[in-house]
Every structure is written in C-alpha cells, then in structure tokens.
Amino acid sequence: MSLKPNNNETRSGWIDVSVPLREDMAVFANEQKLRIEHRASMERGDGSNNTTLHIGVHTGTHLDAPRHGIANGKTIDQMPLDIAIGPARVIEIKDTRTVRPEELKQYTFKRGERVLFKTTNSERCWKTDNFVEDFVDISPEAAQVLADAGLSLIGLDYLSVRAPASQTGTHKILLGAGIWLLEGLNLSAVSAGNYDLICLPLRIVNNDGSPVRAVLRPVI
Ligand SMILES: [Zn+2]
C-alpha cells in the first residue's frame, strides 16, 4: 500500500508531520515490525474493542533520548517539556546523499535551537512500505558542527539520523552533546521557515526513546 502525502492541516494552523502507524509500515533496518493485536473486537462479538500494540520505541515518528547511545544519558521520561514544545526552524537540504558541513555553512545556529532538516526523504521514502536504505542522513562531520552549535533538538525526515551502511558516529556525537533526536518526520507538507513545534513523547520510565505525535504551526 502506498502512502498519501501528509497534508493533514487543521483550522488552527497545526500541520501533522508524523507518519501514520500501520503494521505494514517501514521500520529501520532490523527493527521489529509494528504489530497491532486486536484482543477484543466488537466485530467478532466481543463487548468492546481493545488493542495491544507491540511496538519498538524507534518506530515511525519518534524521539531518541540521549540514553539511546550514551550509557548514562538522559532518558525519555527526563525530557524537559520546554524542549518538546517551542520554536523550531525547518531547513531544506539540497544534498541527496547526506547533510554535510559545507551545506550548513550558510546557516547560523543559536544555542538551544530546534532544527528540523527537510530532505528529499520526505517525498521519496514514505511512498513505500519497504525500508529505504539509502536515505539522506546526517554525516558525522555535520553532526559535529551541530553539536558544537549547542542545539537542543534535531529532526530528520526518515527513520534515523544515520543510514545503516554508513560509518557510525552521528548518533554518538549528537546524543553525547545532549541533543534530542526527532526521527521519522514527514516534512512534505511544510517548507523552510520558522514554526512552533510540539512533539511530546510518552513518559516511559528509564527508556531510550518513544513514539511521538509531531505537529508544526507556521510562525506568522
Ligand atoms: Zn531512533
């Protein structure tokens, strides 16, 4: 099943930039597929509908807490609400392979800023339920630039900040700098600019990540 572009915009201006959760949806590399177990079903004659989700925390649109890559890093339940809610800048990346320092040079980053990278992933990768291995990711060199800039949150429009075949380093550099990673966004309905962001994770104790509902509203 192919996916429709995400253009779920509300009257209040909030735009849904999260991807729908479905059993068939793509998951990163060897992650467990989402399973939705309908334990009780009124269609089957039960008195109610009741569902159990079998879901990896890095499924669909989700947050990586520093604990994902850093042994004593902050856990998802320790995420300050002030990072999950607030201004965010969407930057459009032209490079079709990876985010590199050369392309970032034209931007000035502020400490504590939230930055979401819109790449060609948004148009390309969510159209299929197969995991796209060669998605546009963030190079370790660009990660170092972003870590040095002291950002609070970085978003990318596919399931990880680093493709599986690439050298490692990006996660460790960003999470080691205490940056929260918002992965699995679909930014096809938004363009570069300034927005308000809400991306609240579930309050899972001592955990490395959580699925989120992420929404953006243009700042006028
Ligand atoms: Zn993740």
Side-chain angles (χ1 to χ4, degrees):
M1 180 183 147
S2 68
L3 304 179
K4 294 195 192 88
N6 184 347
N7 53 5
N8 182 12
E9 192 170 342
T10 63
R11 258 192 302 167
S12 56
W14 288 102
I15 301 165
D16 199 341
V17 290
S18 28
V19 297
L21 290 174
R22 297 175 299 108
E23 284 195 327
D24 293 337
M25 70 188 298
V27 290
F28 183 81
N30 298 319
E31 290 280 329
Q32 201 180 3
K33 279 272 189 185
L34 167 62
R35 188 158 68 83
I36 300 170
E37 181 190 357
H38 298 286
R39 293 194 344 272
S41 158
M42 293 168 82
E43 246 175 46
R44 295 196 308 247
D46 296 322
S48 62
N49 293 312
N50 199 338
T51 307
T52 297
L53 291 181
H54 304 268
I55 185 171
V57 293
H58 300 271
T59 302
T61 310
H62 69 277
L63 272 160
D64 286 5
R67 180 65 61 88
H68 181 49
I70 305 296
N72 60 353
K74 284 212 166 88
T75 53
I76 198 69
D77 52 314
Q78 295 173 323
M79 185 183 197
L81 292 178
D82 283 345
I83 291 181
I85 303 171
R89 175 159 52 138
V90 173
I91 286 177
E92 282 191 41
I93 293 294
K94 301 219 164 39
D95 199 309
T96 56
R97 300 287 300 276
T98 190
V99 180
R100 301 174 212 264
E102 293 74 19
E103 190 169 358
L104 296 181
K105 273 201 188 109
Q106 60 190 296
Y107 301 104
T108 309
F109 298 105
K110 293 193 278 289
R111 296 200 77 76
E113 193 179 3
R114 299 170 193 79
V115 173
L116 313 179
F117 292 112
K118 177 181 180 180
T119 74
T120 53
N121 295 340
S122 281
E123 288 298 341
R124 183 172 73 109
C125 298
W126 297 117
K127 290 198 166 95
T128 172
D129 285 332
N130 298 319
F131 174 60
V132 177
E133 295 206 14
D134 62 343
F135 64 90
V136 182
D137 64 359
I138 299 176
S139 70
E141 296 76 20
Q144 194 58 58
V145 169
L146 300 166
D148 293 345
L151 302 187
S152 63
L153 179 145
I154 290 171
L156 191 66
D157 52 359
Y158 203 49
L159 290 164
S160 174
V161 290
R162 194 63 172 151
S166 308
Q167 62 185 111
T168 54
T170 294
H171 270 98
K172 287 260 187 265
I173 292 165
L174 296 176
L175 297 170
I179 299 171
W180 302 79
L181 303 179
L182 179 55
E183 299 172 330
L185 293 167
N186 183 344
L187 297 172
S188 52
V190 298
S191 44
N194 294 315
Y195 294 83
D196 287 320
L197 166 73
I198 301 176
C199 60
L200 288 166
L202 299 178
R203 201 172 176 178
I204 311 170
V205 174
N206 276 334
N207 211 272
D208 55 283
S210 168
V212 300
R213 188 73 178 258
V215 292
L216 288 174
R217 184 166 65 179
V219 174
I220 304 154

